[in-house]
Amino acid sequence: MPTTKRAEPDACSLLDADHRQVKKLFKAYEDLTKSKAASASQRKRELAKEICAELTVHARIEEEIFYPAVRGALKETDLLDEAEVEHATAKDLIAQIQDATEVDDMFDAKVTVLGEYIDHHVKEERNEMFVKARAARGLDLVGMREELAARKEELMAELSSAIA
Ligand SMILES: [Fe+2]
Ligand SMILES: [Fe+2]
């Protein structure tokens, strides 16, 4: 019998998969900022839309399900307070990107700054919050994964029907 213990997929690994997915989108956007192709603007607009949608849904499932559960399980809640403040700031930038009419240098700047900001936020979740959540007693992170996945699916469907 192999004795190496592999981590079971849990709420944190689901959230981190979202983080990696959105990181890819930011990278694709960054590559496009170096392109002179006429189609770059259109593609940038699409990518920005996708980034904003992904982040909006991700923030919602964290705020509705993950953060409150972690807050209830940890003694020190500064990390949670900071994460919520960071979400508010990110939402403000997301709104600016969604409201922008032109895909110009300022648009690029907003997407770039959002990407840097999310990088910072993700590092704190991955290296601090998830570590503490996994070490906390009485948190069913494996069970929570299902709940997050179901809510994510619901929100994604809402979002795409709102756009259509
Ligand atoms: Fe977050
Ligand atoms: Fe996150």
Coordinates of all heavy atoms in Angstrom, one line a residue, residues 106-153:
M106 N -5.7 53.6 -21.3 CA -6.2 53.6 -20.0 C -7.0 52.2 -19.7 O -6.9 51.8 -18.5 CB -7.2 54.7 -19.8 CG -6.5 56.0 -19.4 SD -5.4 55.9 -18.1 CE -6.4 55.9 -16.7
F107 N -7.6 51.7 -20.7 CA -8.2 50.4 -20.5 C -7.2 49.3 -20.2 O -7.4 48.6 -19.2 CB -9.0 50.1 -21.8 CG -9.9 48.9 -21.7 CD1 -11.2 49.0 -21.2 CD2 -9.5 47.6 -22.1 CE1 -12.1 47.9 -21.1 CE2 -10.4 46.5 -22.0 CZ -11.7 46.7 -21.5
D108 N -6.1 49.3 -21.0 CA -5.0 48.4 -20.7 C -4.5 48.6 -19.3 O -4.2 47.6 -18.6 CB -3.8 48.7 -21.7 CG -4.1 48.1 -23.1 OD1 -5.0 47.4 -23.3 OD2 -3.2 48.4 -24.0
A109 N -4.3 49.8 -18.9 CA -3.8 50.1 -17.6 C -4.7 49.5 -16.5 O -4.2 49.0 -15.5 CB -3.6 51.6 -17.4
K110 N -6.0 49.7 -16.7 CA -6.9 49.2 -15.7 C -6.9 47.7 -15.6 O -6.9 47.1 -14.5 CB -8.4 49.6 -16.0 CG -8.6 51.1 -15.7 CD -9.9 51.6 -16.2 CE -10.0 53.1 -15.8 NZ -10.9 53.8 -16.6
V111 N -6.8 47.0 -16.7 CA -6.7 45.5 -16.7 C -5.4 45.1 -16.1 O -5.4 44.1 -15.3 CB -6.9 44.9 -18.1 CG1 -6.7 43.4 -18.1 CG2 -8.3 45.3 -18.7
T112 N -4.3 45.8 -16.4 CA -3.0 45.4 -15.9 C -3.0 45.6 -14.3 O -2.5 44.7 -13.6 CB -1.9 46.3 -16.5 OG1 -1.9 46.1 -17.9 CG2 -0.5 45.9 -16.0
V113 N -3.5 46.7 -13.9 CA -3.5 47.0 -12.4 C -4.4 46.0 -11.7 O -4.1 45.4 -10.7 CB -4.0 48.4 -12.1 CG1 -4.2 48.6 -10.6 CG2 -2.9 49.4 -12.6
L114 N -5.6 45.6 -12.3 CA -6.4 44.6 -11.7 C -5.7 43.3 -11.6 O -5.8 42.6 -10.6 CB -7.7 44.5 -12.6 CG -8.7 43.4 -12.1 CD1 -9.3 43.8 -10.7 CD2 -9.9 43.2 -13.1
G115 N -4.9 42.9 -12.7 CA -4.2 41.7 -12.7 C -3.2 41.7 -11.5 O -3.0 40.7 -10.8
E116 N -2.5 42.8 -11.3 CA -1.4 42.9 -10.3 C -2.1 42.8 -8.9 O -1.6 42.1 -8.0 CB -0.6 44.2 -10.4 CG 0.3 44.2 -11.6 CD 0.8 45.6 -12.0 OE1 0.4 46.5 -11.3 OE2 1.6 45.7 -12.9
Y117 N -3.2 43.4 -8.8 CA -3.9 43.4 -7.6 C -4.5 42.0 -7.2 O -4.3 41.6 -6.1 CB -5.1 44.4 -7.7 CG -5.7 44.9 -6.4 CD1 -4.9 45.7 -5.5 CD2 -6.9 44.5 -6.0 CE1 -5.5 46.1 -4.3 CE2 -7.5 44.9 -4.8 CZ -6.7 45.7 -4.0 OH -7.3 46.0 -2.8
I118 N -5.0 41.4 -8.2 CA -5.5 40.0 -8.0 C -4.4 39.1 -7.6 O -4.5 38.2 -6.7 CB -6.3 39.5 -9.2 CG1 -7.6 40.4 -9.4 CG2 -6.7 38.0 -9.1 CD1 -8.6 40.4 -8.3
D119 N -3.2 39.2 -8.3 CA -2.0 38.4 -7.9 C -1.7 38.5 -6.5 O -1.5 37.5 -5.8 CB -0.8 39.0 -8.7 CG -0.4 38.2 -9.9 OD1 -1.0 37.1 -10.0 OD2 0.4 38.6 -10.7
H120 N -1.7 39.7 -6.0 CA -1.4 40.0 -4.5 C -2.5 39.3 -3.7 O -2.1 38.6 -2.7 CB -1.4 41.5 -4.3 CG -1.6 41.9 -2.9 ND1 -0.5 41.9 -1.9 CD2 -2.7 42.2 -2.2 CE1 -1.0 42.3 -0.8 NE2 -2.3 42.5 -0.9
H121 N -3.7 39.5 -4.0 CA -4.8 38.9 -3.2 C -4.8 37.4 -3.2 O -4.9 36.8 -2.2 CB -6.1 39.4 -3.8 CG -7.4 38.9 -3.2 ND1 -7.8 39.4 -1.9 CD2 -8.3 38.0 -3.5 CE1 -8.9 38.8 -1.6 NE2 -9.2 37.9 -2.5
V122 N -4.5 36.8 -4.4 CA -4.4 35.4 -4.5 C -3.3 34.8 -3.6 O -3.4 33.8 -3.0 CB -4.3 35.0 -6.0 CG1 -3.8 33.5 -6.1 CG2 -5.6 35.1 -6.7
K123 N -2.1 35.5 -3.6 CA -1.0 35.0 -2.8 C -1.4 34.9 -1.4 O -1.0 34.0 -0.7 CB 0.2 36.0 -3.0 CG 1.1 35.5 -4.1 CD 2.4 36.3 -4.2 CE 2.9 36.1 -5.6 NZ 3.2 37.4 -6.3
E124 N -2.1 35.9 -0.9 CA -2.5 35.9 0.5 C -3.5 34.8 0.8 O -3.5 34.1 1.8 CB -3.1 37.3 0.9 CG -2.0 38.3 1.0 CD -2.4 39.6 1.6 OE1 -3.6 39.9 1.6 OE2 -1.5 40.3 2.1
E125 N -4.4 34.5 -0.2 CA -5.3 33.4 0.0 C -4.6 32.1 0.0 O -4.7 31.3 0.9 CB -6.4 33.4 -1.0 CG -7.4 34.6 -0.8 CD -8.6 34.6 -1.8 OE1 -8.5 34.0 -2.9 OE2 -9.5 35.3 -1.4
R126 N -3.8 31.9 -1.0 CA -3.1 30.7 -1.2 C -2.1 30.4 0.0 O -2.0 29.3 0.5 CB -2.3 30.7 -2.5 CG -1.7 29.4 -2.9 CD -1.0 29.6 -4.2 NE -1.9 29.7 -5.4 CZ -1.7 30.4 -6.5 NH1 -0.5 31.1 -6.6 NH2 -2.5 30.4 -7.5
N127 N -1.3 31.4 0.3 CA -0.2 31.1 1.3 C -0.6 31.3 2.7 O 0.1 30.9 3.6 CB 1.0 32.0 1.0 CG 1.5 31.8 -0.4 OD1 1.4 30.7 -1.0 ND2 2.2 32.8 -1.0
E128 N -1.7 32.0 3.0 CA -2.1 32.3 4.4 C -3.5 31.7 4.7 O -3.6 30.9 5.6 CB -2.0 33.8 4.7 CG -0.6 34.3 4.6 CD -0.5 35.8 4.9 OE1 -1.0 36.1 6.0 OE2 0.0 36.5 4.1
M129 N -4.5 32.3 4.0 CA -5.8 31.9 4.4 C -6.1 30.4 4.2 O -6.7 29.8 5.0 CB -6.8 32.7 3.6 CG -8.2 32.7 4.2 SD -9.5 33.4 3.1 CE -9.0 35.1 3.1
F130 N -5.7 29.9 3.0 CA -6.0 28.5 2.8 C -5.3 27.6 3.7 O -5.8 26.5 4.2 CB -5.6 28.1 1.3 CG -6.5 28.7 0.3 CD1 -6.3 28.5 -1.1 CD2 -7.6 29.5 0.6 CE1 -7.1 29.1 -2.1 CE2 -8.4 30.1 -0.3 CZ -8.2 29.9 -1.7
V131 N -4.0 28.0 4.1 CA -3.2 27.2 5.0 C -3.9 27.1 6.4 O -4.1 26.1 7.0 CB -1.8 27.8 5.1 CG1 -1.0 27.0 6.2 CG2 -1.1 27.8 3.8
K132 N -4.4 28.3 6.8 CA -5.1 28.4 8.1 C -6.4 27.6 8.1 O -6.8 27.0 9.1 CB -5.3 29.8 8.5 CG -4.0 30.5 8.9 CD -4.2 31.8 9.6 CE -2.8 32.3 10.0 NZ -2.7 33.7 10.2
A133 N -7.1 27.8 7.0 CA -8.4 27.1 6.8 C -8.3 25.6 6.9 O -9.0 24.9 7.6 CB -9.1 27.5 5.5
R134 N -7.2 25.1 6.3 CA -7.0 23.6 6.3 C -6.6 23.1 7.6 O -6.8 22.0 8.0 CB -6.0 23.3 5.2 CG -6.6 23.2 3.8 CD -5.5 23.0 2.7 NE -6.1 22.8 1.4 CZ -5.6 23.1 0.3 NH1 -4.4 23.6 0.2 NH2 -6.2 22.8 -0.9
A135 N -5.9 24.0 8.4 CA -5.5 23.6 9.7 C -6.6 23.8 10.8 O -6.5 23.2 11.9 CB -4.3 24.4 10.1
A136 N -7.6 24.5 10.4 CA -8.7 24.8 11.4 C -9.5 23.5 11.7 O -9.7 22.7 10.8 CB -9.6 25.9 10.9
R137 N -10.0 23.5 12.9 CA -10.9 22.4 13.3 C -12.3 22.6 12.9 O -12.7 23.8 12.9 CB -10.8 22.2 14.8 CG -9.5 21.6 15.3 CD -9.5 21.5 16.8 NE -8.3 20.8 17.3 CZ -8.3 19.5 17.4 NH1 -9.4 18.7 17.1 NH2 -7.2 18.8 17.8
G138 N -13.0 21.6 12.6 CA -14.4 21.7 12.4 C -14.9 22.3 11.1 O -16.0 22.7 10.9
L139 N -13.9 22.5 10.1 CA -14.3 23.0 8.8 C -14.3 21.9 7.8 O -13.3 21.3 7.6 CB -13.3 24.0 8.4 CG -13.6 25.5 8.4 CD1 -12.4 26.3 7.7 CD2 -14.9 25.9 7.8
D140 N -15.5 21.6 7.2 CA -15.6 20.6 6.2 C -15.3 21.1 4.9 O -16.2 21.4 4.1 CB -17.0 19.9 6.3 CG -17.1 18.8 5.2 OD1 -16.1 18.4 4.7 OD2 -18.3 18.5 4.9
L141 N -14.0 21.3 4.6 CA -13.6 21.9 3.3 C -13.9 21.0 2.1 O -14.1 21.4 1.0 CB -12.1 22.3 3.3 CG -11.8 23.4 4.3 CD1 -10.3 23.6 4.3 CD2 -12.5 24.7 3.8
V142 N -13.8 19.7 2.3 CA -14.1 18.7 1.3 C -15.6 18.8 0.9 O -16.0 18.9 -0.3 CB -13.7 17.3 1.6 CG1 -14.1 16.3 0.6 CG2 -12.2 17.2 1.8
G143 N -16.5 18.8 1.9 CA -17.9 19.0 1.6 C -18.2 20.3 1.0 O -19.1 20.5 0.1
M144 N -17.5 21.4 1.4 CA -17.8 22.7 0.9 C -17.4 22.9 -0.5 O -18.0 23.7 -1.2 CB -16.9 23.7 1.7 CG -17.4 25.2 1.6 SD -16.2 26.3 2.1 CE -16.1 26.0 3.9
R145 N -16.5 22.0 -1.0 CA -16.2 22.1 -2.4 C -17.4 21.9 -3.3 O -17.6 22.6 -4.3 CB -15.2 21.0 -2.7 CG -14.7 21.0 -4.2 CD -13.8 19.8 -4.5 NE -13.4 19.8 -5.9 CZ -12.3 20.3 -6.4 NH1 -11.5 21.0 -5.6 NH2 -12.1 20.2 -7.7
E146 N -18.3 21.0 -2.9 CA -19.5 20.7 -3.7 C -20.4 21.9 -3.7 O -21.0 22.3 -4.7 CB -20.3 19.6 -3.0 CG -19.6 18.2 -3.0 CD -19.4 17.7 -4.4 OE1 -20.4 17.7 -5.2 OE2 -18.3 17.3 -4.7
E147 N -20.5 22.5 -2.5 CA -21.4 23.7 -2.4 C -20.9 24.8 -3.2 O -21.7 25.5 -3.9 CB -21.3 24.1 -0.9 CG -22.5 24.8 -0.4 CD -22.3 25.2 1.1 OE1 -21.6 24.5 1.8 OE2 -22.8 26.3 1.5
L148 N -19.6 25.0 -3.2 CA -19.0 26.1 -4.1 C -19.2 25.8 -5.5 O -19.5 26.7 -6.3 CB -17.5 26.2 -3.8 CG -17.0 26.8 -2.4 CD1 -15.5 26.6 -2.3 CD2 -17.4 28.2 -2.3
A149 N -19.0 24.6 -5.9 CA -19.1 24.2 -7.4 C -20.6 24.5 -7.8 O -20.8 25.0 -8.9 CB -18.7 22.8 -7.6
A150 N -21.5 24.1 -7.0 CA -23.0 24.2 -7.4 C -23.3 25.7 -7.5 O -24.0 26.1 -8.4 CB -23.8 23.5 -6.3
R151 N -22.9 26.5 -6.5 CA -23.2 27.9 -6.5 C -22.5 28.6 -7.7 O -23.1 29.5 -8.3 CB -22.8 28.6 -5.2 CG -23.2 30.0 -5.0 CD -24.7 30.2 -5.0 NE -25.0 31.6 -4.8 CZ -26.0 32.2 -5.6 NH1 -26.6 31.5 -6.5 NH2 -26.2 33.5 -5.4
K152 N -21.3 28.2 -8.0 CA -20.6 28.8 -9.1 C -21.4 28.5 -10.4 O -21.5 29.4 -11.3 CB -19.2 28.2 -9.2 CG -18.3 28.8 -10.3 CD -16.9 28.2 -10.4 CE -16.3 28.8 -11.6 NZ -14.9 28.2 -11.8
E153 N -21.8 27.3 -10.6 CA -22.6 26.9 -11.8 C -23.8 27.8 -11.9 O -24.1 28.3 -13.0 CB -22.9 25.5 -11.7 CG -23.1 24.8 -13.1 CD -23.4 23.3 -12.9 OE1 -22.5 22.7 -12.3 OE2 -24.4 22.8 -13.4

